[in-house]
Amino acid sequence: MGLIRFATGAFAACAMAISAGQALAQDFKPAIVYDLGGKFDKSFNEAAHIGAERFKEETGTDYRDFELQNDSQREQALRRFAQRGFDPVIGIGFSQAQAIEKVAEEYPGTKFAIIDAVVDEPNVRSIVFKEHEGSYLVGMLAAMASKTGKIGFIGGMDIPLIRKFECGYVEGAKAVNPDIEIYANMTGTTGAAWNDPVKGGELAKSQFDRGADVVYHAAGGTGIGVLQAAADEGKLGIGVDSNQNMLHPGSVLTSMVKRVDNAVYQAFEDVQNGVSMEEWGGVQNLGLAEDGVAWALDDSNNDLITDEMKTKVEDASAKITSGEIKVHDYMSDNSCPAMK
């Protein structure tokens, strides 16, 4: 558990045949509203896009999507899809919560879903992840890979969700080396923090200048700059959400993969298969046990992960899944014992 192997160039599975009746269902019209940063951010939004594309390839069913340019477009985009009969309508990102709550009330017969937030409406599926569990594993890898005993973390928008990534990372690193030094920076306090690779690179370089030799980002498109800086400085970066190992082969230690792609695919499939409103609503909380988070190993980073590192992380993953290791969830009490 907790390890995802990626074949070179492969996220999308091979297309498979399905019945003509399923492929041509006229009442099935899925839609996605991406968060700021767009569907090709190489991270969070792109993971959702990959899931939708995989569904399209495997079923022959198309979907519609919309890329936000500013916050004011959220509600308008969601409502427009609902008005036009799209179902399900999936909002990517916690920032969609208020808009989805409002539009879901207006269209109680439409199934909505939101990634990374909980909206208490009967026609909304709320999909959240145990990011702290996956971050614990990459924190272990960072500590084992570090030669200086100093590592870093760069978050995007300073919110409890990103503190959740940070806390798990710190806890995992300290499980390997209790004396490890960890630098941390957040990029900003607005949505712009997700799409500023220049600042991401600057923050990463400042951590490298202080001695860090591995830096993990949870910053969306901003993290592209973090990984670029790691490659430029001859250090190691850790990707997030999507598998980012291939962006700089040999310089990305691993990626904490958050299976937004699977969540989107499953939502599409459930509605296509006629899921009832009662079965649709509620909260899904996806962690290691549910294959909701993992660390990525492929040809791009295989030489960076020793057998010992892999064995230790796989052992920790099994213990987290069984409950023997309980990784603290920052959002449960807005605290991080590992950072005290």
Side-chain angles (χ1 to χ4, degrees), residues 72-216:
S72 66
Q73 293 178 319
R74 298 184 195 281
E75 188 177 316
Q76 180 184 20
L78 292 164
R79 184 177 290 107
R80 184 172 297 158
F81 279 134
Q83 287 172 340
R84 295 179 179 178
F86 286 88
D87 191 338
V89 180
I90 303 179
I92 309 302
F94 72 95
S95 297
Q96 312 267 23
Q98 187 175 359
I100 282 184
E101 182 176 20
K102 183 173 182 179
V103 178
E105 288 179 350
E106 296 173 8
Y107 294 89
T110 298
K111 296 179 180 70
F112 293 84
I114 184 166
I115 306 290
D116 274 358
V118 174
V119 173
D120 187 16
E121 294 291 336
N123 57 331
V124 177
R125 173 178 290 183
S126 300
I127 305 165
V128 294
F129 295 83
K130 299 174 185 176
E131 296 92 350
H132 51 300
E133 294 183 350
S135 295
Y136 182 99
L137 300 182
V138 302
M140 290 182 65
L141 289 169
M144 287 187 280
S146 177
K147 294 178 173 59
T148 63
K150 299 176 182 180
I151 61 175
F153 174 84
I154 294 174
M157 190 174 176
D158 190 357
I159 53 174
L161 175 62
I162 301 304
R163 295 288 178 181
K164 184 179 178 182
F165 283 84
E166 178 188 14
C167 185
Y169 178 67
V170 170
E171 191 172 345
K174 288 189 174 181
V176 170
N177 177 7
D179 297 322
I180 197 163
E181 191 170 350
I182 304 169
Y183 306 124
N185 295 102
M186 295 293 175
T187 307
T189 57
T190 69
W194 304 119
N195 196 27
D196 192 346
V198 172
K199 187 168 184 180
E202 292 171 349
L203 291 172
K205 188 176 185 306
S206 72
Q207 293 186 0
F208 293 138
D209 288 345
R210 285 181 281 167
D213 54 359
V214 186
V215 173
Y216 172 39

Side-chain angles (χ1 to χ4, degrees), residues 238-253:
I238 297 178
V240 79
D241 294 336
S242 295
N243 178 17
Q244 298 182 319
N245 295 355
M246 70 289 295
L247 295 182
H248 299 282
S251 292
V252 181
L253 179 63

Side-chain angles (χ1 to χ4, degrees), residues 212-240:
D213 54 359
V214 186
V215 173
Y216 172 39
H217 87 85
T222 296
I224 302 303
V226 174
L227 300 181
Q228 182 67 58
D232 291 344
E233 296 286 323
K235 309 297 184 182
L236 293 171
I238 297 178
V240 79

